[in-house]
Amino acid sequence: MEPKVINQTLSKAAQSGQWKYGQHACFCQKQGSGNNWAYGYSVHGPRHEESIMNIIRKEVEKCDSFSGFFIIMSMAGGTGSGLGAFVTQNLEDQYSNSLKMNQIIWPYGTGEVIVQNYNSILTLSHLYRSSDALLLHENDAIHKICAKLMNIKQISFSDINQVLAHQLGSVFQPTYSAESSFHYRRNPLEGFKDPALYTSWLKPVNAFNVWKTQRAFSKYEKSAVLVSNSQFLVKPLDMIVGKAWNMFASKAYIHQYTKFGIEEEDFLDSFTSLEQVVASYCNL
């Protein structure tokens, strides 16, 4: 969402000679609007909706076999996360039969933006209504990987992005065949077939699938990745909702949202939605 970042990205792409995006639009922030979720969702998105959706439509039309969208976005950043939620909602409206998966970056627990908890609950509650799946990456967990596993002393954004790119690559690497299980001398996946791990209405054979590929990944002889839907989300989500509630109770910074069309009722709807998510996951 920031012109400086967009220009740096396009410049690096051109210098690499490996990729470029020729037809692009720079939806820059309005001066004085700040990094504001409400501005991204209520003003920036509607103002550029036609241009954004036209670009997406043209890309979809180029596909021989289109199956869905993968949206990469921040959860706590201001204008960008508001716009990301708005675009995802539009995709659900116009491409309801296509998969929408959002990869979102969970903010550091210590805080990066003073209103990050507000932005987070607004983003999550809107995506919960319009996205088919959320792929979460915690900044704290990625930072720990860099520090503990990779022994990086001065961790940079490039280091963090490299780990994120590596994880995404392992999730989305092309598959060679859709076998139901790997065959080892001792199968480490047997434990995942326990029906007790899954909800009663979902058979284990449908809840856990394994694919194998002959394509090497990042020069590893063997690699595996697990993408799971579990109670892992409960603690960090409950913490963010609680912090946001504490701020909302004192009406802190609410004016930054109401001046761009997000009312107190919108916050209450978001709290209700996410508290239900927490309760549902606790009852799994």
Side-chain angles (χ1 to χ4, degrees), residues 37 40-57 60 66 69 71 73 81-100 102 126-127 129-132:
W37 194 96
Y41 182 84
S42 300
V43 180
H44 217 45
R47 179 179 296 166
H48 299 287
E49 178 180 357
E50 184 177 357
S51 298
I52 295 173
M53 298 311 295
N54 280 339
I55 291 174
I56 292 174
R57 177 181 53 79
V60 170
F66 176 75
F69 299 95
I71 304 105
M73 56 184 286
S81 56
L83 179 63
F86 177 83
V87 171
T88 303
Q89 181 177 302
N90 272 264
L91 293 177
E92 171 61 15
D93 293 339
Q94 297 191 30
Y95 300 92
S96 58
N97 294 326
S98 300
L99 174 72
K100 273 76 61 178
N102 294 69
H126 282 76
L127 293 182
R129 292 190 287 267
S130 56
S131 180
D132 295 299

Side-chain angles (χ1 to χ4, degrees), residues 42-194:
S42 300
V43 180
H44 217 45
R47 179 179 296 166
H48 299 287
E49 178 180 357
E50 184 177 357
S51 298
I52 295 173
M53 298 311 295
N54 280 339
I55 291 174
I56 292 174
R57 177 181 53 79
K58 290 178 181 178
E59 295 301 319
V60 170
E61 290 174 351
K62 295 177 183 178
C63 298
D64 294 326
S65 179
F66 176 75
S67 58
F69 299 95
F70 182 59
I71 304 105
I72 300 177
M73 56 184 286
S74 168
M75 184 174 85
T79 312
S81 56
L83 179 63
F86 177 83
V87 171
T88 303
Q89 181 177 302
N90 272 264
L91 293 177
E92 171 61 15
D93 293 339
Q94 297 191 30
Y95 300 92
S96 58
N97 294 326
S98 300
L99 174 72
K100 273 76 61 178
M101 175 180 279
N102 294 69
Q103 187 260 354
I104 54 179
I105 305 299
W106 203 276
Y108 283 104
T110 53
E112 302 170 80
V113 182
I114 191 66
V115 291
Q116 71 173 33
N117 297 309
Y118 280 163
N119 294 341
S120 296
I121 65 160
L122 289 168
T123 299
L124 287 172
S125 63
H126 282 76
L127 293 182
Y128 181 67
R129 292 190 287 267
S130 56
S131 180
D132 295 299
L134 303 182
L135 184 61
L136 307 178
H137 286 94
E138 287 189 283
N139 267 341
D140 285 315
I142 301 299
H143 198 95
K144 186 178 295 185
I145 289 174
C146 291
K148 300 295 179 64
L149 297 182
M150 302 175 68
N151 296 315
I152 300 175
K153 304 302 180 184
Q154 298 293 329
I155 300 173
S156 65
F157 281 121
S158 295
D159 296 322
I160 292 175
N161 286 337
Q162 185 66 35
V163 173
L164 286 170
H166 186 98
Q167 292 185 349
L168 286 178
S170 66
V171 171
F172 292 108
Q173 61 173 317
T175 56
Y176 173 73
S177 62
E179 297 288 340
S180 350
S181 63
F182 285 131
H183 297 286
Y184 295 114
R185 186 169 298 174
R186 293 181 60 192
N187 191 343
L189 302 177
E190 282 296 326
F192 289 103
K193 296 181 180 179
D194 184 356

Side-chain angles (χ1 to χ4, degrees), residues 27-41:
F27 302 112
C28 305
Q29 296 182 42
K30 176 182 177 183
Q31 187 173 4
S33 67
N35 200 17
N36 191 294
W37 194 96
Y39 182 77
Y41 182 84

Side-chain angles (χ1 to χ4, degrees), residues 242-254:
K243 289 180 178 179
W245 255 123
N246 291 337
M247 291 180 63
F248 183 78
S250 61
K251 308 300 181 186
Y253 302 101
I254 294 296

